[in-house]
Amino acid sequence: MTSAETTSTKNTTTVPAYAAPSAKAPLERTTIERRPVGAHDVLIDIKYAGICHSDIHQARDGWGEGIFPMVPGHEIAGVVTEVGPEVTKFAVGDRVGVGCMVDSCRECENCKAGLEQYCHKGNIGTYNALDKNGEPTYGGYSTHIVVDEAYTVRIPDGLALDVAAPLLCAGITTYSPLAHWNAGPGKKVAVVGLGGLGHMAVKIAHAMGAEVTVLSQTLRKKDDGLKLGADHYYATSDEATFEELRGSFDLIVSTVSAPLPLDKYLSLLRTDGAMVNVGAPEEPVSLNLFSVIGGRKTLAGSGIGGIRETQEMLDFCAEHGLGAEIELIDADKINEAYERVLASDVRYRFVIDTSTI
Ligand SMILES: [Zn+2]
Ligand SMILES: [Zn+2]
């Protein structure tokens, strides 16, 4: 950190950030305090931060109980500039990422199994959460962040930091179910929705060797979908799609948060197929259970991924040359970008150049 951009007070460090001062207000430039670098912490000079749809939900308090002022951002890519005395995994100069969580209980069955995202006590979110000292966490729309090395991952050299940032949420959220349900050669995988999550699902499933079909409302993004690695592309607004594809897929990954007619989508699965939801509507959905009884089908959900699996995903993406498709923006365009995300007007992820904060 240079003294020009930061000042230290009472052991914490003041750094620039973009924050929503309240649920109804646009984001604006401000400063926040970062904790001192503890024994197991790394200080990260944030280079890029992706804009995830859930940033908008939370900054506008769509899920309630938001902590304001709020600094969103859980797709963080940067470089380590300081390490605590007990840090063993990282050194100054390492390229690193931070995703949706910065801590968890570390003791429960799930934490011990590397499934920290499903911590029984709840993981500690990168922002809009309280850390173990009861202090609010602030996310990646900022120039620096202090994170425990155990919740920090390495970004391989082969991946540029700007296109790597969205992998920390959009990448792992789609990689995890694809890996868990064994997407690969000989498997037919459908991806519902071609947005920030969907475009990564297509790239990753294709790289895993699966035969990939995009199911989108219209054929508007068909050319993109095929370029990203899809083998087939169908419009769900066309009823003939559901007739033609009946009983086709081993796995359907739904990335949309709009309520879907689940019975219709489940009819697209083969026997023993699974439909996994990584997006969810705010209201409960209904389902005729015969849709899963006939064909021994699974309706499932999946949330981000554990730390070990996030590292595995980054290594996989580097090996296969996969980054997100991004539109790089300056920080003063964040509010505009939010409106464009809500209008589905982005191909496929906004990434903030944090040097402009
Ligand atoms: Zn996200
Ligand atoms: Zn736990």
Side-chain angles (χ1 to χ4, degrees):
M1 253 181 266
T2 64
S3 56
E5 56 187 351
T6 59
T7 49
S8 286
T9 47
K10 294 174 289 186
N11 298 325
T12 63
T13 303
T14 305
V15 302
Y18 260 73
S22 69
K24 301 288 174 241
L27 277 76
E28 59 185 36
R29 191 175 190 277
T30 183
T31 58
I32 53 168
E33 299 297 312
R34 292 298 190 189
R35 70 171 186 249
V37 177
H40 298 278
D41 287 340
V42 294
L43 170 64
I44 301 168
D45 179 358
I46 301 173
K47 300 293 187 190
Y48 301 100
I51 293 180
C52 175
H53 203 138
S54 65
D55 294 349
I56 304 173
H57 275 293
Q58 293 183 77
R60 297 185 175 179
D61 214 16
W63 295 335
E65 298 180 13
I67 301 167
F68 292 93
M70 186 188 300
V71 177
H74 59 208
E75 294 183 336
I76 299 169
V79 175
V80 173
T81 54
E82 191 182 330
V83 296
E86 306 286 327
V87 167
T88 58
K89 266 170 72 183
F90 300 104
V92 170
D94 283 356
R95 304 159 85 248
V96 293
V98 177
C100 300
M101 57 188 165
V102 289
D103 212 336
S104 63
C105 86
R106 309 181 189 214
E107 290 166 354
C108 73
E109 182 185 17
N110 285 342
C111 283
K112 285 183 175 161
L115 297 169
E116 300 91 345
Q117 76 274 34
Y118 305 132
C119 173
H120 288 321
K121 294 184 181 160
N123 68 64
I124 294 175
T126 303
Y127 67 89
N128 195 20
L130 296 176
D131 69 17
K132 285 177 175 170
N133 297 318
E135 298 291 330
T137 57
Y138 296 119
Y141 298 7
S142 172
T143 58
H144 298 80
I145 189 169
V146 178
V147 182
D148 191 300
E149 66 164 336
Y151 294 79
T152 303
V153 287
R154 183 177 304 279
I155 297 178
D157 286 340
L159 275 175
L161 291 180
D162 55 354
V163 300
L167 301 179
L168 277 303
C169 175
I172 186 60
T173 299
T174 49
Y175 178 90
S176 184
L178 289 166
H180 184 77
W181 275 274
N182 301 311
K187 293 290 179 72
K188 293 188 176 182
V189 174
V191 174
V192 184
L194 193 68
L197 292 169
H199 95 287
M200 285 313 307
V202 169
K203 286 190 177 204
I204 293 168
H206 174 70
M208 287 175 169
E211 182 178 334
V212 184
T213 300
V214 175
L215 302 175
S216 186
Q217 274 185 305
T218 68
L219 298 178
R220 191 167 57 94
K221 299 179 190 166
K222 182 175 177 181
D223 290 347
D224 279 9
L226 299 179
K227 264 185 238 152
L228 294 168
D231 300 285
H232 316 283
Y233 203 106
Y234 287 86
T236 54
S237 54
D238 183 354
E239 280 303 315
T241 292
F242 290 89
E243 291 304 317
E244 188 177 338
L245 299 178
R246 172 176 285 272
S248 292
F249 300 112
D250 299 287
L251 175 64
I252 298 173
V253 177
S254 171
T255 67
V256 303
S257 49
L260 290 177
L262 291 175
D263 302 297
K264 275 175 76 175
Y265 280 84
L266 289 163
S267 76
L268 303 180
L269 291 173
R270 304 172 68 181
T271 299
D272 286 329
M275 175 173 180
V276 186
N277 296 273
V278 297
E282 286 174 17
E283 296 300 317
V285 295
S286 73
L287 169 73
N288 182 338
L289 281 172
F290 283 110
S291 297
V292 289
I293 289 171
R296 195 165 54 189
K297 294 168 182 173
T298 301
L299 178 65
S302 179
I304 50 175
I307 298 300
R308 193 167 61 218
E309 189 176 44
T310 302
Q311 186 62 62
E312 179 186 303
M313 176 275 305
L314 287 169
D315 295 345
F316 177 88
C317 286
E319 185 186 329
H320 293 271
L322 307 181
E325 301 298 309
I326 66 165
E327 185 173 330
L328 196 62
I329 60 165
D330 288 355
D332 62 3
K333 295 288 191 291
I334 292 172
N335 293 300
E336 201 176 297
Y338 275 20
E339 294 306 320
R340 287 184 54 199
V341 170
L342 293 173
S344 298
D345 175 25
V346 53
R347 295 191 182 188
Y348 282 86
R349 206 59 148 179
F350 284 114
V351 171
I352 304 161
D353 175 352
T354 56
S355 70
T356 63
I357 288 178

